[in-house]
Amino acid sequence: MREAHFIDKNKAKWSDIEHNLKNKINVHPDILSKNYIEITNDLAFAQTFYPKSKTKEYLNELALFAHQSIYKDQRNSSNQFIQFFKNDVPNVIYKNHKMLLYSFLIFSFAVLIGIISSHYDQDFTSLILGRDYVEETLVNIKNGDPAAIYKSGSQTGSTLAITVNNIKVAFYAFTLGLFFSIGAGYILFNNGIMLGAFHYMFFKEGVLGKAMTAIWMHGTIEISVIIIAGACGLMLGNSFMFPKTYSRKKSLILKSKEAVMILVSTIPFFMLAGFIEGFITRLYDINLFLSLAVILLSIVLIVWYYVIYPIKKNRKNHSMSNPILSNTNEEE
């Protein structure tokens, strides 16, 4: 068989196998096993009849990728854990980047509303944040320590309480997305308005800069992950309202799996935010550079894992096959 004919006969199958391997969480194990057998058989054929061709090189890479995806990462639970955060979650995030963007835009719009409302209505901040909280904060501002509230309580107790509360908010944003995405939008909108009013209170008192060095030490991760959880909720609602070629039930099941994966990936970040708020935020007035370093590192961590890394990884996956197949087609 001529090599060009061999390629034309099998390239659709190879493309399907690649797709299955990259989305293996949604593919039955028996299909993946069958794919692995098919690709190794094709590799053996290519090694026999086209030993120096790019087709053989491509099939060798694909077979290696299949082996690593199906077998190597199943050796022990630690490998599965690494696989989850290194490959599975970034792949799912890339598929749903639009939902992350929509969640961010909803939250940002709500922050703007909170700021504007606080500016034109003097009672708005107390209404949103609670009168007791606002009065306590104003007393702290007069005492020269606008973020003193973060110094109260024990470090360990504060960390646990904060982490549990943050996870609870994320859980609400996720589950309420089942109500046609409106519930997730409500959680995002509510938290965004609170954040806007919160910032305006410090701005009005002339201590915004000092307060932000404390608040955003833990708030960078905390707010980012709430936005991510909101995106998970939007994924659920949209999957039911816009099922595309699937039934509504099937679409909801498939998207729920992806949303749960992303939501689970946020738990370590919530724990980190709770630790920072319980142990490090209370040190904000000791060293300005410490505050800025924590904020900057938090931004880099979130943006890299949830934006940059999924994009880079997806581009790398797509570059594995397309150039090789196009080059071998030219040989015909």
Side-chain angles (χ1 to χ4, degrees), residues 22-182:
K22 294 171 186 175
N23 301 277
K24 61 182 180 180
I25 59 171
N26 299 322
V27 181
H28 194 280
D30 289 345
I31 296 177
L32 292 175
S33 179
K34 180 182 177 182
N35 289 161
Y36 179 68
I37 294 173
E38 290 175 332
I39 204 63
T40 51
N41 287 339
D42 289 343
L43 173 61
F45 186 89
Q47 286 175 329
T48 302
F49 296 99
Y50 325 115
K52 298 181 180 180
S53 69
K54 292 182 179 179
T55 304
K56 189 213 74 172
E57 294 176 4
Y58 162 70
L59 291 173
N60 188 57
E61 290 182 14
L62 186 57
L64 179 61
F65 177 48
H67 183 269
Q68 291 176 335
S69 298
I70 299 172
Y71 298 106
K72 184 177 179 180
D73 292 325
Q74 296 179 356
R75 290 180 181 173
N76 54 59
S77 59
S78 62
N79 276 347
Q80 292 178 351
F81 180 81
I82 295 173
Q83 168 79 8
F84 178 77
F85 283 96
K86 183 179 178 182
N87 296 316
D88 297 343
V89 173
N91 288 338
V92 171
I93 290 172
Y94 181 82
K95 289 174 59 179
N96 296 280
H97 259 174
K98 283 187 177 180
M99 290 298 105
L100 290 174
L101 176 61
Y102 296 155
S103 182
F104 173 77
L105 292 176
I106 292 171
F107 189 86
S108 299
F109 181 63
V111 170
L112 183 61
I113 290 178
I115 293 173
I116 295 174
S117 299
S118 298
H119 176 73
Y120 288 103
D121 185 352
Q122 294 183 351
D123 296 327
F124 184 80
T125 303
S126 296
L127 178 66
I128 295 297
L129 300 178
R131 190 167 299 278
D132 291 341
Y133 179 82
V134 171
E135 290 178 354
E136 181 181 354
T137 301
L138 291 176
V139 170
N140 292 333
I141 291 173
K142 291 179 180 179
N143 294 333
D145 193 1
I149 196 168
Y150 295 109
K151 297 179 180 179
S152 60
S154 68
Q155 294 174 321
T156 303
S158 296
T159 298
L160 292 175
I162 292 162
T163 301
V164 170
N165 181 69
N166 290 339
I167 292 176
K168 183 171 67 174
V169 172
F171 179 76
Y172 286 151
F174 171 72
T175 55
L176 292 179
L178 287 171
F179 296 97
F180 308 102
S181 296
I182 296 174

